[in-house]
Amino acid sequence: MAETIQAMRERRNALVKETRNLLDNNPGATWNDDHQKQYDEKMAEVERIDGSIERHQKQLDAEADETFKAVGGRETDANAEQTQLQAMYARWLARGDKALSAEEWQTVQAAMSGNPDVNPEQGGYTVPKETARSILEALKAYGGMREAATVIQTAGGNPLSYPTTDGTAEEGELVPENSTATDDDIEFGTKGLGGYKFSSKVVTVPFELMQDSAIDVEALVNGRLTTRLGRVTNRFYTTGSGVAQPMGAVTASATGKTGAVSAIPAITYEDLVDLEHSVDPAYRMNAGYMFHDQVLAMVRKIKDADGRPIFVPSLADGSVGGAPARLMNRPITINQSMAVPAASARSILFGDLSKYIIRDIMRVTLFRFTDSVYTKKGQVGFLAWMRSDGNLMDVGGAVKHFRHGAAA
């Protein structure tokens, strides 16, 4: 009989506890090759179970959707209206402007009233709300900044100014009797958020695919534009210069720890401890790590002062795949736009990453092209636009980075 997801989660949690006990019960010199072998085997089994849980959960979700439809499940009025818009959107993607009647265009325009981006004459169509939301949610999978940052949405693109002030070094005073208190005025500054324009680049789809009823054109186009917009925006949120582009979190952060000069890039347990303590305790309450997957591979091999691996998976909390893994009891966000280990590279961020603000303006807008440039090639073109900006709204050092030492 197939193992249930609950049984897999329970087995995973038992392995995690065994791994933690293995580390706790074998400190310092007592840690040997046999302990390391057991640790590696348990970690490999945890990862295998995580993958199995995720696959089974996807299958259960798909079966639940089919069951809902089979028993005549109905959407609420609001969802039904949105589903109707999405159906129109999918029809327009596949067959163009003529696929929608004049009445349907009126429905679309009424739903998107007041949005200057909607212009059927130019092939423009604002992505339906549910589709836009799924696109923005899916962008989290292409980097990590949206997962860790604070995301806000605004209807207009007027510049936003955030007032800033640094009180980390301020302190009151003891005043003797009959003495006057001294002045210490607060200095205010501002940090701004604008609205930079990002494009997916043109996605071209051959006529053959457009005419094939077995191909889900909506899923194909949305998938590609999500991938492209997700990757480009995440890169700028991470390492943007702030000049005619978003200010990246790495660029805006200060150095918390610089590693030793080394012929081969390295990260030590002491480096991580020093990096954590470079951030003020007030900011460490909600702090976490962010780095590239190659850094994670390096970190997993780090051992503490007693010679034991510092990386231990977290107990599953009921979510797909279990809770995120933690490092030094801090959450981890993987961001493939972060630097890989290299001499002088800024490869790790640590701190309260929610201080990074991402601003999205309105919704994603999609255009469909059928002019001669594409017709000659037997293609239909699609282009998505979005406006967004990001900046680290912090002047007190809430986020610091680790910089590898120079090459020996």
Side-chain angles (χ1 to χ4, degrees), residues 34-65:
D34 182 59
H35 295 141
Q36 186 64 46
K37 180 181 178 181
Q38 292 181 54
Y39 171 85
D40 292 339
E41 289 174 350
K42 292 179 188 298
M43 288 291 294
E45 180 65 8
V46 167
E47 291 183 1
R48 190 194 69 75
I49 294 173
D50 282 345
S52 182
I53 290 174
E54 184 172 2
R55 290 190 296 272
H56 278 73
Q57 188 64 55
K58 286 182 179 179
Q59 178 61 31
L60 289 175
D61 290 344
E63 291 174 356
D65 288 343

Side-chain angles (χ1 to χ4, degrees), residues 152-373:
I152 62 173
Q153 292 184 322
T154 60
N158 295 335
L160 291 180
S161 293
Y162 278 71
T164 61
T165 179
D166 183 2
T168 54
E170 293 181 1
E171 186 179 11
E173 62 179 348
L174 173 65
V175 180
E177 188 176 352
N178 298 323
S179 297
T180 303
T182 56
D183 295 330
D184 189 3
D185 294 337
I186 298 175
E187 294 185 6
F188 290 94
T190 59
K191 281 194 173 186
L193 282 174
Y196 297 106
K197 187 163 62 175
F198 293 91
S199 92
S200 63
K201 297 183 180 177
V202 177
V203 176
T204 55
V205 181
F207 287 162
E208 292 83 355
L209 289 182
M210 303 295 295
Q211 296 165 356
D212 190 340
S213 60
I215 302 299
D216 187 342
V217 178
E218 180 183 6
L220 174 66
V221 172
N222 286 349
R224 285 303 177 89
L225 71 88
T226 297
T227 300
R228 296 181 181 188
L229 288 175
R231 286 176 177 163
V232 67
T233 53
N234 185 78
R235 177 164 59 85
F236 282 104
Y237 299 150
T238 306
T239 58
S241 67
V243 179
Q245 58 186 246
M247 172 66 80
V250 174
T251 309
S253 65
T255 301
K257 177 62 187 293
T258 300
V261 174
S262 174
I264 300 175
I267 302 169
T268 67
Y269 176 71
E270 289 77 11
D271 288 333
L272 296 177
V273 172
D274 290 343
L275 176 61
E276 285 202 10
H277 287 272
S278 71
V279 174
D280 190 271
Y283 294 119
R284 294 207 300 267
M285 295 177 63
N286 300 308
Y289 284 96
M290 177 178 284
F291 40 65
H292 192 281
D293 188 62
Q294 289 188 27
V295 175
L296 176 60
M298 179 178 287
V299 165
R300 291 184 63 175
K301 301 172 186 176
I302 298 176
K303 297 181 180 180
D304 63 18
D306 292 327
R308 302 168 305 172
I310 65 172
F311 185 90
V312 180
S314 302
L315 294 174
D317 64 353
S319 60
V320 177
R326 299 173 74 86
L327 175 63
M328 312 275 278
N329 203 32
R330 306 284 188 181
I332 294 172
T333 302
I334 298 299
N335 181 348
Q336 294 300 84
S337 293
M338 291 286 292
V340 299
S344 301
R346 296 175 290 182
S347 66
I348 300 177
L349 283 177
F350 175 79
D352 186 353
L353 296 167
S354 69
K355 297 295 183 183
Y356 191 88
I357 309 296
I358 293 174
R359 177 200 189 188
D360 293 324
I361 300 172
M362 304 185 76
R363 294 192 214 145
V364 177
T365 304
L366 180 66
F367 286 81
R368 187 182 195 275
F369 303 108
T370 55
D371 56 57
S372 59
V373 174

